[in-house]
Amino acid sequence: MSQMANCRPSPCAVLVSSLLFSACSMVGSSRPNHPEGRKPIDKVRRLQRRLWKAAKQHPTRRFHALYDRICRRDVLQEAWRRVKRNKGVAGVDAVTLAAIEADGVERFLGSIEQELRGGRYRPKAVLRRYIPKADGNKRPLGIPTVRDRVVQAAAKLVLEPVFEADFKDSSHGFRPRRGTTGALETLRKLGARGYNHVLDADIRDYFGSIDHDKLMKLVARRISDRRVLRLIRLWRGFPFWPRVRRFDATSLTSAWLVPTCVIGCKLVSDFDSARATRSTAFS
């Protein structure tokens, strides 16, 4: 069974749907300026590969120098491109993507970089909205400002390769170049090998019921950079508008985007590891 084969979009899927290792498309008909005729790998992708390789080779390593990488201008530029590609709405400050472009993207990113490097960055309140669910209820959705989404996307670019290296091959949900199609293909192959029973299960309100303290402990297993941990805690504690209960778990998760989806899936991956110790075919 693929534990994520029946996964549904979560409130935070807007910012986590982009692929970390997608191929760069060629521009026009120009040839790549590379001695072997290949398109050069951009610096951000090269950074991600180095982090993934280091994490893969050293499963117990704790990374202590990641904050400066989040602050890098090329990382912030890539984060902006991904936020813009998602075409999200404005947050509580009413600043839209178009307004930022009109005022100057580099100026916008420069101010973010200065705030991050100077330790002055503070997330703004999160816009509270509700979207209808199939059962008639409403799912709470937190909409950070564009500025905060860019910072979160930059953190995701740097942190995701570290945790991606720990995931089992059987994990398909919220992973780069993974999804329900691959999970179903795994089921098809298992069926061809003679397995004919599928257990379809779902974790009720998974992203709304995650133990955030446990989640932070999982982060700390791999990340020892105090500034990165502080940055994540800032996202964990920011308020909502219109104001709701400060520690509403569902509200927190819908806005605490980076660790919720990236590291939240690590909880399921740990379940995979426990299952792998048994002789049961599981995918």
Side-chain angles (χ1 to χ4, degrees):
M1 182 197 80
S2 172
Q3 75 272 18
M4 302 300 290
N6 194 32
C7 65
R8 298 184 299 274
S10 72
C12 55
V14 175
L15 291 185
V16 298
S17 60
S18 59
L19 302 179
L20 285 176
F21 303 106
S22 59
C24 297
S25 59
M26 299 297 293
V27 179
S29 58
S30 60
R31 295 176 60 84
N33 184 21
H34 191 280
E36 297 182 10
R38 300 192 302 271
K39 185 178 179 64
I41 299 175
D42 65 77
K43 292 182 179 180
V44 176
R45 193 176 177 198
R46 187 179 297 116
L47 168 65
Q48 290 177 319
R49 287 186 172 182
R50 287 202 307 266
L51 290 171
W52 180 87
K53 184 176 181 180
K56 197 70 172 178
Q57 291 178 341
H58 306 282
T60 61
R61 174 177 173 178
R62 300 178 71 209
F63 291 77
H64 67 279
L66 296 179
Y67 188 82
D68 287 338
R69 290 168 170 80
I70 294 174
C71 301
R72 275 174 34 172
R73 180 59 69 90
D74 56 341
V75 172
L76 291 173
Q77 288 171 337
E78 177 61 23
W80 160 258
R81 284 191 287 268
R82 296 185 180 212
V83 170
K84 180 184 176 183
R85 188 163 61 231
N86 286 329
K87 301 178 180 179
V89 300
V92 294
D93 59 2
V95 177
T96 63
L97 295 168
I100 292 172
E101 291 183 307
D103 193 48
V105 174
E106 287 304 314
R107 178 181 176 182
F108 170 71
L109 296 179
S111 67
I112 290 178
E113 182 180 356
Q114 290 178 2
E115 288 183 357
L116 286 171
R117 292 190 183 278
R120 301 187 303 274
Y121 168 78
R122 297 293 185 277
K124 294 183 180 297
V126 177
L127 185 62
R128 176 78 161 181
R129 290 291 182 264
Y130 293 89
I131 55 177
K133 297 173 62 175
D135 59 6
N137 293 321
K138 293 183 178 181
R139 184 189 304 276
L141 178 66
I143 306 175
T145 63
V146 175
R147 165 179 164 273
D148 290 331
R149 297 204 300 266
V150 169
V151 178
Q152 290 188 357
K156 177 178 180 290
L157 284 167
V158 174
L159 296 179
E160 188 165 41
V162 174
F163 293 98
E164 171 67 21
D166 293 338
F167 290 156
K168 297 296 181 181
D169 189 59
S170 59
S171 179
H172 292 271
F174 300 105
R175 293 185 60 189
R177 307 186 74 171
R178 294 284 187 122
T180 54
T181 301
L184 291 172
E185 176 62 13
T186 299
L187 293 176
R188 186 192 67 79
K189 291 179 179 179
L190 287 173
R193 289 165 50 189
Y195 295 97
N196 53 19
H197 289 81
V198 175
L199 173 61
D200 184 9
D202 189 19
I203 301 176
R204 179 182 300 174
D205 192 25
Y206 178 55
F207 287 107
S209 59
I210 291 177
D211 185 327
H212 294 133
D213 291 330
K214 182 176 292 185
L215 205 59
M216 284 304 300
K217 290 179 181 179
L218 283 175
V219 175
R221 286 184 187 177
R222 278 301 211 170
I223 309 298
S224 61
D225 190 324
R226 293 183 179 180
R227 291 182 295 176
V228 172
L229 297 175
R230 176 180 176 274
L231 182 64
I232 295 175
R233 291 190 182 99
L234 283 175
W235 291 326
R236 182 185 178 186
F238 51 10
F240 286 77
W241 185 263
R243 190 169 298 279
V244 296
R245 288 190 299 116
R246 179 72 171 182
F247 295 106
D248 184 311
T250 305
S251 303
L252 279 170
T253 307
S254 64
W256 189 21
L257 306 180
V258 175
T260 295
C261 285
V262 176
I263 301 124
C265 291
K266 180 67 168 61
L267 293 171
V268 178
S269 183
D270 287 352
F271 175 71
D272 288 352
S273 298
R275 291 282 301 187
T277 60
R278 303 181 180 183
S279 58
T280 304
F282 181 75
S283 180

